[in-house]
Amino acid sequence: MLCQLLEEVPSTCCKCQGPLCLRQQVLNLALGEDEEVMCLNCLAADNNKSSAELLDSLATYIVGRECFAKPWLRYASVDYCPDKLGCIPAVCFKARP
């Protein structure tokens, strides 16, 4: 079900028109956003957090939920990320409990 929903999630940020990777789409869904989808930087600003802080807090939640973890884990490393400039590899790809 989530994979089907991900196909319908926009692939560009609604605020800055930057590209959205699969993980950024999942971050938005974890926050209940599926129409006004934003990149990590815009999403963090909208939530009054730094990009790293928002990513770290949500990633822990995401890997704990099977429905979100499955698409999240498709990226084995930053090499799979289509938005290497917008990525924070030390946070996005750190080992999670």
Side-chain angles (χ1 to χ4, degrees):
M1 180 74 170
L2 182 63
C3 292
Q4 185 177 12
L5 181 59
L6 283 170
E7 292 173 10
E8 299 171 12
V9 174
S11 58
T12 56
C13 177
C14 71
K15 290 195 174 193
C16 73
Q17 279 64 55
L20 296 175
C21 72
L22 175 65
R23 286 190 170 186
Q24 290 178 38
Q25 291 173 317
V26 173
L27 288 170
N28 278 272
L29 294 175
L31 287 171
E33 300 288 345
D34 60 356
E35 292 180 24
E36 298 273 321
V37 179
M38 294 175 260
C39 69
L40 177 58
N41 292 331
C42 292
L43 197 59
D46 199 56
N47 284 276
N48 298 315
K49 295 185 178 188
S50 73
S51 297
E53 181 182 26
L54 181 69
L55 177 60
D56 191 42
S57 65
L58 283 176
T60 301
Y61 169 74
I62 287 168
V63 297
R65 302 263 331 257
E66 185 179 345
C67 60
F68 292 136
K70 191 172 182 178
W72 184 268
L73 296 174
R74 284 187 197 167
Y75 289 173
S77 73
V78 71
D79 296 332
Y80 293 89
C81 182
D83 185 21
K84 290 178 180 61
L85 296 175
C87 185
I88 308 171
V91 179
C92 196
F93 293 96
K94 82 176 189 180
R96 306 274 172 197

